[in-house]
């Protein structure tokens, strides 16, 4: 099974100025098989992106919120803790 899913952000404190770039990265500590990733915000079912990175090239007011990534290897799914992104 997958475990230890973590989120990191660049800039590190996940605070980004309006119009600036924010990159979120998802990492898995343990788990085998081909991994797939999906990104979600604020409990919404909509998928913001797939892949281990989510890039907001021009952060806008509506990009603030709690982000989470979900990793799956087909057999099991694990979610990261949420990360609070603030657009200043």
């Amino acid at each position: 099974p997958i475990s230890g899913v973590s989120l990191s952000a660049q800039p590190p404190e996940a605070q980004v100025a309006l119009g600036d770039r924010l990159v979120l990265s998802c990492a898995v500590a343990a788990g085998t098989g081909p991994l797939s990733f999906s990104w979600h915000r604020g409990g919404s079912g909509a998928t913001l992106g797939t892949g281990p990175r989510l890039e907001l090239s021009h952060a806008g007011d509506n990009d603030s919120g709690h982000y989470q990534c979900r990793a799956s290897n087909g057999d099991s799914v694990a979610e990261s803790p949420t990360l609070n992104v603030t657009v200043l």
Side-chain angles (χ1 to χ4, degrees):
I2 300 174
S3 62
V5 182
S6 62
L7 260 188
S8 58
Q10 195 61 39
E13 62 284 354
Q15 290 190 340
V16 60
L18 194 65
D20 279 3
R21 189 173 79 125
L22 173 73
V23 178
L24 302 180
S25 300
C26 191
V28 175
T32 56
L35 292 174
S36 63
F37 297 91
S38 62
W39 292 88
H40 307 273
R41 183 177 75 212
S44 142
T47 299
L48 302 172
T50 55
R53 285 159 50 102
L54 178 69
E55 184 174 323
L56 305 174
S57 50
H58 298 284
D61 289 327
N62 57 347
D63 288 322
S64 291
H66 292 84
Y67 286 75
Q68 192 175 36
C69 89
R70 195 172 289 158
S72 170
N73 64 0
D75 293 324
S76 66
V77 176
E79 294 184 342
S80 71
T82 57
L83 179 70
N84 189 22
V85 169
T86 309
V87 178
L88 305 173

